[in-house]
Amino acid sequence: HQQTLVNHFTQSNPQSPEATPLPNIKHKTLGEFKQYCQDNLLGHLKELENTRKSTLRTILISGIICLVFTWFICQALLNYLAIGNFTFFYLSCLGFPLSIWLIFCRSCIQVYGLGFKRNIIENIINFIDDQGRLSYASHLFLEDKRQTIIALTKSQILRDELEEPDSLEQEDCIYGTIGNTDIFFAEIVVKKVVGGQRNELGLESFIHKSDIFRGLFFEAKFSKNFISRTFIVPNDTKSRISHLNNWRGERIKLEDPEFNRLFRVYGDSQIESRYILSTNLMSRLVDFNHKAGRKVYLSFVDGFVYIAIPYRHNLFEPKLFKNMMSFAPLREYFQDLQLMIGIVEDLNLNRRIWS
């Protein structure tokens, strides 16, 4: 893309609430999406599955050839050098050819999955948004990564301190507009660095990096600010420990018993938090929890809504030892996108917040 996303968020002219809203993205059902995948992605997935099997055969055959060839070489050298312990000699000689074989395997795997992830995500985006308002970028400029770090810190979704994460990686970014609202989301990995130190040459080394968050991070910018902060977190053990959540504000109890069972809400203002959490928005979050069965975190800060959905694995990474014909990862990504887009549309329609 020609301009960075920093420009997309900071230099675009905000629309006033009175401005004529652009049409929302048409809601698509899971059944429609499944049919779309069968029509547009099934052929590609079958082709990839055949490539996966072929790659696996190539790796296994080359490994066997490597072992047998090394065995014959060692036998010949054993007779010539009169070495007594063949097993030890064979294992010693195996180190070099095995390292070459591992490099070969890695290159095979990289070629096998080349372009697969981009193809899948672009197809899903094209299905959800048939008017071209959302765009895809596999990797972004450094200033865009910087913008994501600032947004994640400002969201306070992961922790209360307004300190930037030690390490953040991002890929597969989607940006554009929903109605008149600028949006951006990406797959990110946030790590905490433990035990950093410098050696005698002044080079920094790290003892350990641990994952804080891995998943989708979403940001949407509205034309007016929220007066206060509001946080929605899963109703798990950590969210029930009061002293760990004091910084989020006061506990906000809502009238929906099913929503209260699944989520806990904290905020600085009872009134604004209740305005933000409309019946439609609460129903959407409850429905997502029931269908997807995954955690979701939200925060509303200074005119931005932030959403984080954790994943245990990288999205759409081709697995060499796993069948690629599964619909499950496609369904998960589609449901996540539908949730994010739906929340933005609910907020755009919620006039009580902006009045």
Side-chain angles (χ1 to χ4, degrees):
H1 54 292
Q2 299 298 316
Q3 66 169 353
T4 68
L5 297 186
V6 174
N7 293 334
H8 178 74
F9 268 94
T10 60
Q11 294 181 8
S12 59
N13 295 321
Q15 302 288 335
S16 66
E18 292 78 17
T20 303
L22 296 173
N24 285 328
I25 294 173
K26 184 181 177 182
H27 178 75
K28 308 289 177 63
T29 66
L30 186 59
E32 290 174 329
F33 177 61
K34 192 169 185 177
Q35 184 61 51
Y36 175 84
C37 290
Q38 289 176 346
D39 296 340
N40 296 273
L41 292 176
L42 188 59
H44 184 71
L45 290 174
K46 286 181 177 178
E47 182 181 333
L48 186 76
E49 177 63 12
N50 292 332
T51 305
R52 182 188 73 85
K53 292 177 179 178
S54 175
T55 302
L56 195 55
R57 283 194 298 269
T58 301
I59 288 174
L60 292 174
I61 292 171
S62 63
I64 293 170
I65 292 172
C66 175
L67 293 172
V68 172
F69 180 76
T70 306
W71 187 85
F72 277 112
I73 294 295
C74 288
Q75 279 283 13
L77 290 174
L78 187 69
N79 295 331
Y80 179 76
L81 299 174
I83 299 173
N85 192 334
F86 174 76
T87 303
F88 177 77
F89 181 63
Y90 174 67
L91 292 175
S92 301
C93 293
L94 204 56
F96 178 72
L98 271 182
S99 62
I100 299 297
W101 178 73
L102 289 173
I103 294 172
F104 171 74
C105 291
R106 180 174 294 180
S107 63
C108 285
I109 294 171
Q110 288 175 344
V111 171
Y112 147 67
L114 196 63
F116 167 71
K117 194 171 184 179
R118 181 186 186 108
N119 183 282
I120 291 292
I121 294 179
E122 284 188 328
N123 269 279
I124 295 175
I125 294 300
N126 290 337
F127 169 73
I128 290 177
D129 171 35
D130 53 9
Q131 298 183 24
R133 284 171 290 180
L134 300 179
S135 301
Y136 169 84
S138 57
H139 293 87
L140 297 175
F141 299 105
L142 287 176
E143 54 263 46
D144 295 319
K145 180 179 177 180
R146 178 71 191 152
Q147 176 73 9
T148 305
I149 292 173
I150 293 171
L152 184 66
T153 304
K154 185 179 176 182
S155 74
Q156 301 179 67
I157 281 180
L158 300 182
R159 53 187 181 185
D160 59 327
E161 308 98 342
L162 287 173
E163 295 179 5
E164 295 180 1
D166 297 328
S167 171
L168 183 143
E169 301 166 9
Q170 76 174 12
E171 61 181 9
D172 300 307
C173 311
I174 310 297
Y175 62 97
T177 58
I178 299 174
N180 292 323
T181 303
D182 294 330
I183 67 115
F184 165 80
F185 64 92
E187 183 181 355
I188 67 170
V189 179
V190 182
K191 295 180 182 289
K192 180 178 179 62
V193 178
V194 181
Q197 59 184 10
R198 293 185 179 275
N199 59 22
E200 61 274 9
L201 298 175
L203 300 175
E204 196 167 16
S205 60
F206 301 104
I207 296 174
H208 180 65
K209 279 187 176 184
S210 59
D211 284 2
I212 297 176
F213 176 82
R214 177 187 295 271
L216 290 179
F217 178 68
F218 174 91
E219 174 188 17
K221 178 185 179 182
F222 293 91
S223 58
K224 290 184 69 175
N225 286 352
F226 304 112
I227 298 172
S228 61
R229 304 173 306 156
T230 300
F231 300 93
I232 305 171
V233 296
N235 190 11
D236 53 19
T237 303
K238 184 178 179 181
S239 70
R240 295 191 198 105
I241 302 174
S242 59
H243 74 272
L244 295 179
N245 295 280
N246 287 339
W247 60 271
R248 298 184 192 271
E250 58 183 312
R251 174 79 190 281
I252 295 168
K253 293 276 286 184
L254 297 143
E255 288 71 27
D256 188 328
E258 183 63 7
F259 182 85
N260 288 332
R261 186 181 70 83
L262 296 172
F263 300 97
R264 291 175 80 88
V265 181
Y266 296 91
D268 300 324
S269 167
Q270 289 276 347
I271 295 174
E272 185 171 59
S273 295
R274 289 173 182 274
Y275 281 168
I276 289 171
L277 286 166
S278 64
T279 304
N280 283 344
L281 197 150
M282 287 191 290
S283 175
R284 196 178 293 278
L285 289 172
V286 169
D287 188 54
F288 175 81
N289 186 281
H290 288 161
K291 289 181 178 178
R294 295 195 309 283
K295 292 183 177 180
V296 57
Y297 300 80
L298 296 92
S299 68
F300 302 84
V301 182
D302 293 338
F304 286 83
V305 57
Y306 303 99
I307 307 172
I309 303 176
Y311 278 80
R312 293 195 182 103
H313 51 80
N314 289 338
L315 285 167
F316 307 124
E317 293 294 347
K319 302 290 193 302
L320 192 61
F321 297 98
K322 187 176 180 181
N323 191 299
M324 294 304 300
M325 300 299 293
S326 172
F327 180 65
L330 303 174
R331 182 186 66 242
E332 287 182 358
Y333 194 75
F334 171 75
Q335 289 174 331
D336 294 347
L337 264 60
Q338 289 286 79
L339 173 70
M340 296 170 184
I341 291 169
I343 287 174
V344 171
E345 291 178 345
D346 287 343
L347 292 172
N348 278 331
L349 294 173
N350 190 345
R351 295 300 176 190
R352 290 195 302 174
I353 305 174
W354 316 121
S355 60

